[in-house]
């Protein structure tokens, strides 16, 4: 062995980080710690405060009362429900959107139409059922949509005479229904066109105030917002599934706050008048369009929670959840329902 040298036993001193590195570490390191602390605090606060479900997925995953006896209810059903359709696609210059095609166990969309169960392969006449989310029916499998139940009833009574087509689109109001109807040409003599609507017209015209706004969130629907709100909406949409803090406390369109215009009688009156004019115009135009083609036009006003004479305990709790039913929406419906009923008559 070689004898140790003096240098081998000389202690090595750790060099301190440069000043700029120290400042960088002091600036960067606390940020993720702060984020974790905020998120942890938000989760603890929400848990201790017994917040209601803040999203449709969270709410439905808890198997609310309407699903209590549903044989189809499962985690697989919920997963498929929130993965369909394959996007909502704006039809430029046509005035409506369409669901993207998808094939699944519970949900199927072909040619941008939710599939109707039990359709006959050969038929004499077509029944076109147009409406919003209640017609499209994201809450249930194909066989339990209103069009599928109507198909079963017509088949039972008339055999293969009628084929029912589901033309429902989430958020569609009478304006979008009319635009979609015009794209169906040619409608054959003897065909039936059904409009099932009302709530989305009220929501769009009275609650959102902007007659060009959409209930379904699309890229086009936020273009009218300020740059700040567009950025905040983008952040909320991207992070709300992963962060309790973002979901509950950074929603730029806080559903717990009543829109200012719903506190003004004069504003509500002006919006109600606009709703009356547009709803009347759309229904008359649709009726004329169908009659001109030799078909039959039928209009049904969709009932809502707010038209019930008496609510169940479940329905009363549902109305209290502003994350599912925004604050002020009942005020909008109190006025809007009277308007659309008057037009219906």
């Amino acid at each position: 062995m070689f004898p140790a040298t003096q240098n081998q036993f000389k202690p090595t001193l750790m060099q301190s980080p440069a000043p700029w590195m120290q400042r960088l570490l002091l600036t960067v390191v606390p940020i993720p710690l702060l984020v974790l602390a905020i998120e942890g605090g938000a989760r603890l606060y929400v848990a201790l405060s017994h917040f209601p479900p803040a999203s449709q997925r969270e709410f439905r995953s808890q198997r609310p009362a309407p699903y209590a006896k549903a044989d189809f209810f499962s985690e697989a059903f919920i997963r498929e429900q929130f993965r369909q359709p394959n996007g909502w696609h704006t039809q430029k210059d046509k005035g409506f959107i369409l669901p993207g095609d998808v094939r699944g166990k519970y949900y199927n969309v072909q040619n941008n139409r939710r599939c109707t169960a039990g359709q006959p392969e050969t038929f004499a006449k077509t029944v076109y059922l147009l409406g919003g989310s209640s017609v499209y029916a994201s809450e249930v499998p194909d066989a339990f949509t209103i069009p599928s139940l109507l198909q079963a009833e017509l088949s039972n009574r008339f055999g293969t005479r009628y084929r029912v087509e589901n033309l429902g689109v989430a958020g569609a109001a009478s304006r979008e229904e009319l635009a979609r109807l015009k794209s169906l040409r040619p409608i054959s003599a003897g065909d039936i066109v059904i409009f099932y609507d009302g709530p989305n017209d009220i929501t769009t015209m009275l609650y959102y105030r902007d007659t060009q706004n959409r209930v379904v969130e699309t890229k086009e629907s936020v273009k009218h917002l300020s740059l700040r709100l567009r950025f905040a909406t983008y952040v909320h949409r991207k992070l709300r599934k992963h962060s309790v803090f973002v979901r509950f406390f950074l929603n730029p369109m806080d559903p717990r706050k009543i829109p200012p215009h719903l506190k003004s009688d004069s504003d509500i009156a002006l919006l109600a008048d606009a709703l009356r004019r547009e709803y009347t115009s759309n229904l008359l135009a649709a009726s004329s369009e169908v009659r001109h083609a030799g078909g039959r036009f039928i209009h049904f006003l969709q009932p809502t929670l707010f038209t019930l004479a008496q609510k169940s305990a479940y329905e009363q709790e549902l109305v209290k959840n502003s994350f599912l039913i925004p604050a002020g929406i009942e005020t909008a419906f109190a006025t809007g329902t009277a308007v659309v009923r008057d037009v219906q008559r």
Side-chain angles (χ1 to χ4, degrees):
M1 294 186 62
F2 293 96
T5 64
Q6 184 178 3
N7 288 337
Q8 286 178 292
F9 294 100
K10 186 176 181 179
T12 301
L13 299 177
M14 296 291 294
Q15 292 186 347
S16 300
W20 67 269
M21 181 66 74
Q22 291 179 338
R23 289 194 295 271
L24 180 62
L25 291 174
L26 289 174
T27 302
V28 174
V29 172
I31 293 177
L33 296 178
L34 178 62
V35 170
L36 290 174
I38 292 174
E39 179 64 18
R43 289 174 183 263
L44 181 62
Y45 176 77
V46 168
L48 295 177
S49 302
H50 303 291
F51 267 51
S55 68
Q56 289 288 352
R57 179 160 190 163
E58 183 181 352
F59 171 68
R60 294 179 196 171
S61 294
Q62 295 180 359
R63 194 167 190 166
Y67 288 121
K69 297 181 181 180
D71 294 337
F72 59 79
F73 188 88
S74 64
E75 181 58 34
F77 165 71
I78 292 295
R79 282 198 304 269
E80 189 172 323
Q81 180 179 123
F82 285 92
R83 288 175 180 170
Q84 63 80 43
N86 187 18
W88 293 97
H89 306 286
T90 302
Q91 306 302 294
K92 293 182 179 180
D93 303 322
K94 292 185 178 180
F96 57 87
I97 65 175
L98 294 174
D101 289 357
V102 66
R103 179 182 290 272
K105 179 179 180 181
Y106 306 99
Y107 296 86
N108 292 275
V109 177
Q110 294 180 5
N111 299 321
N112 306 113
R113 299 178 182 183
R114 179 86 190 268
C115 290
T116 300
Q119 285 180 326
E121 293 185 6
T122 59
F123 56 95
K125 304 299 177 184
T126 302
V127 178
Y128 298 101
L129 184 48
L130 294 91
S133 57
S134 292
V135 174
Y136 181 84
S138 286
E139 295 82 2
V140 295
D142 295 337
F144 296 98
T145 66
I146 292 176
S148 291
L149 297 176
L150 177 60
Q151 179 70 72
E153 183 66 23
L154 293 177
S155 296
N156 182 53
R157 295 190 181 193
F158 305 105
T160 61
R161 182 177 181 182
Y162 293 104
R163 177 184 175 97
V164 180
E165 292 288 349
N166 185 340
L167 301 184
V169 172
S174 61
R175 183 193 306 118
E176 287 82 24
E177 293 172 287
L178 177 60
R180 183 80 180 275
L181 171 62
K182 292 179 179 180
S183 74
L184 298 178
R185 295 174 180 169
I187 294 175
S188 301
D191 285 350
I192 299 174
V193 174
I194 301 173
F195 273 24
Y196 184 65
D197 53 37
N200 287 336
D201 286 85
I202 295 171
T203 302
T204 301
M205 299 288 286
L206 290 183
Y207 186 79
Y208 287 110
R209 194 173 191 173
D210 181 359
T211 59
Q212 299 303 316
N213 200 1
R214 287 210 41 88
V215 180
V216 173
E217 184 181 286
T218 64
K219 292 180 180 179
E220 286 73 17
S221 72
V222 297
K223 284 184 177 179
H224 70 285
L225 299 176
S226 67
L227 183 61
R228 181 184 65 82
L229 281 178
R230 286 170 64 182
F231 177 74
T233 300
Y234 175 82
V235 171
H236 184 263
R237 186 173 66 246
K238 291 296 184 182
L239 298 181
R240 64 191 176 192
K241 294 181 180 179
H242 311 289
S243 170
V244 169
F245 178 74
V246 170
R247 185 159 67 249
F248 282 93
F249 305 108
L250 289 186
N251 187 346
M253 308 296 183
D254 192 341
R256 294 168 292 182
K257 296 180 180 178
I258 299 176
H261 65 274
L262 291 177
K263 300 177 182 179
S264 167
D265 291 341
S266 58
D267 283 352
I268 292 176
L270 288 173
L271 295 170
D273 187 54
L275 169 62
R276 183 185 305 276
R277 291 196 306 271
E278 176 159 332
Y279 198 53
T280 301
S281 175
N282 291 336
L283 294 184
L284 289 176
S287 178
S288 176
E289 185 89 12
V290 176
R291 290 201 314 270
H292 183 74
R296 182 182 179 189
F297 177 74
I298 303 175
H299 178 250
F300 290 102
L301 192 60
Q302 180 186 331
T304 70
L305 270 175
F306 307 113
T307 58
L308 294 174
Q310 187 173 357
K311 297 181 181 65
S312 67
Y314 163 75
E315 290 161 344
Q316 291 175 19
E317 287 301 313
L318 195 62
V319 172
K320 294 177 183 177
N321 186 346
S322 59
F323 293 102
L324 301 179
I325 301 179
I329 198 75
E330 193 165 1
T331 300
F333 271 80
T335 297
T337 299
V339 171
V340 295
R341 278 178 173 170
D342 186 52
V343 172
Q344 167 77 352
R345 297 190 188 101

